[in-house]
Amino acid sequence: MKPFRLSLTPSARAVCAGLLFAMAAGAGAAGPYPANPVRMIVPYPPGGPTDIAARMAADELAKSLGVTVVVENKAGAGGMVGADMVARARPDGATLLVNASAHVIYPAIFKEVSFDVIDSFTPVTQLVQVPLTLLVPTSLPVNNVRELIAYIKDHPGKVAFASAGNGGAPHLAGELFKKVAGVNLLHVPYKGSSPALTDLMGGQVQVMFDSMTSSLSFVKAGKLKALAVTTPERSSMLPDVPTMKESGLPSYVLTNWYGLWAPKGTPPALVAQLADALNTRFHSAAITQKLNAIGAEPVISKPEDFSRFVVKEKDSWGAIARDSGATMN
């Protein structure tokens, strides 16, 4: 019996070859994530809003990709120490960065930055967006923004505002408040939100802008007073707290956010795996409920969307920094 031979035209052979290539590529994309374990660097101390967002993302990535994801807190220089570690890491998917919007602020506020906030990283996805909340200790005799402004003016040189560190969104939020409200405040930077909130509750500092993720529980427990939120609309988590616009400062609108980056040169297939995993997991009802409970909203985006977003945010936050005159050594 003669062997069977299938004769195909050149065009048919091309179609078959394309189908085989697509099947192979699809199989590769669906393969196991190669890096195990994965280090997720948080450039701030444990317990702060960035750390909270990172640990939720790490748990979901571990479940989705089937790898061990270890969160490592590498604080220092306003977050630049941890970010620099990721910028210098091998682009093999084994090292990731979760950072706040402070990531795009560095060039505008620090004289020297050891990496390029855009070109030294591969954007993966935006994780969440969070209102900043204007907080004061319960012992401070003010109950709204107008009363706070009057109190600061009546106590010149005696009112200080805390932040989670130099150069971050909470710091710039305070600097913007100084400008638009026409008040003088001493800035006291801390190494993370947790120690700053502790001193705020104790009255060692009198004012703080902080992400709702780390302060909401203290407000609900009656340990801090929330005077306003910085977003355009009120937060569903604190519906009775007005916006800064409603409080007499119509030009004051800010939103903090957190995102995931990989080192520059990370293969697109790995970046897509990470983004797809979080797109799927962070939009689940269970995770959305957990995020809402701490004042955050999931905002998962494709890598190309996040790439455009960070460039736009770099320009926006840079303008706020320059207008405020805030600079760091």
Side-chain angles (χ1 to χ4, degrees):
M1 180 182 293
K2 293 183 179 181
F4 175 76
R5 296 181 183 277
L6 179 63
S7 178
L8 296 174
T9 64
S11 60
R13 286 196 297 270
V15 170
C16 289
L19 288 172
L20 289 171
F21 179 81
M23 291 171 64
Y33 194 78
N36 194 5
V38 175
R39 301 168 66 212
M40 185 175 283
I41 304 299
V42 174
Y44 309 103
T50 311
D51 183 65
I52 294 170
R55 292 182 187 277
M56 293 184 70
D59 287 345
E60 297 310 311
L61 279 180
K63 295 173 185 176
S64 180
L65 299 178
V67 298
T68 300
V69 183
V70 180
V71 175
E72 296 185 12
N73 299 88
K74 302 293 183 181
M80 289 196 295
V81 170
D84 183 71
M85 289 180 61
V86 178
R88 297 175 184 271
R90 294 178 59 184
D92 57 4
T95 307
L96 305 173
L97 171 70
V98 171
N99 205 352
S101 45
H103 184 83
V104 298
I105 299 172
Y106 298 143
I109 200 166
F110 288 97
K111 294 180 180 179
E112 294 184 5
V113 181
S114 59
F115 50 83
D116 189 298
V117 298
I118 302 297
D119 293 337
S120 297
F121 301 87
T122 299
V124 177
T125 185
Q126 185 181 352
L127 293 172
V128 296
Q129 64 180 14
V130 184
L132 290 168
T133 310
L134 173 55
L135 305 164
V136 297
T138 57
S139 59
L140 202 71
V142 302
N143 293 298
N144 56 56
V145 174
R146 289 184 175 86
E147 289 180 3
L148 175 62
I149 294 172
Y151 181 88
I152 296 170
K153 291 181 177 180
D154 289 342
H155 298 79
K158 296 182 179 180
V159 182
F161 84 93
S163 79
N166 285 327
H171 173 202
L172 288 188
E175 296 292 344
L176 182 61
F177 177 66
K178 287 167 56 178
K179 180 179 179 180
V180 298
V183 295
N184 183 27
L185 287 169
L186 172 67
H187 176 221
V188 182
Y190 287 78
K191 293 183 178 180
S193 290
S194 294
L197 288 168
T198 297
D199 276 7
L200 182 68
M201 286 185 281
Q204 285 85 356
V205 286
Q206 293 74 42
V207 180
M208 183 177 177
F209 285 88
D210 193 46
S211 288
M212 197 176 287
T213 46
S214 53
S215 57
L216 182 62
S217 61
F218 298 116
V219 174
K220 288 190 171 183
K223 296 180 179 180
L224 287 171
K225 288 190 283 189
L227 303 187
V229 294
T230 64
T231 41
E233 306 294 336
R234 294 192 184 196
S235 169
S236 61
M237 297 298 102
L238 292 174
D240 295 331
V241 177
T243 65
M244 295 290 282
K245 293 173 65 176
E246 292 175 307
S247 301
L249 301 175
S251 64
Y252 199 111
V253 178
L254 290 176
T255 301
N256 200 15
W257 52 267
Y258 305 92
L260 180 70
W261 287 263
K264 179 181 179 180
T266 300
L270 297 186
V271 175
Q273 270 189 287
L274 292 167
D276 289 345
L278 286 170
N279 265 309
T280 301
R281 307 284 308 194
F282 256 56
H283 277 290
S284 69
I287 293 301
T288 298
Q289 185 177 12
K290 287 181 180 180
L291 288 170
N292 290 165
I294 58 173
E297 297 179 359
V299 185
I300 306 302
S301 55
K302 296 180 179 179
E304 57 270 26
D305 297 330
F306 188 43
S307 181
R308 289 189 292 267
F309 176 78
V310 294
V311 172
K312 181 180 178 181
E313 285 289 285
K314 178 176 179 286
D315 294 338
S316 298
W317 281 102
I320 295 173
R322 287 188 294 272
D323 288 345
S324 71
T327 58
M328 299 295 151
N329 294 327

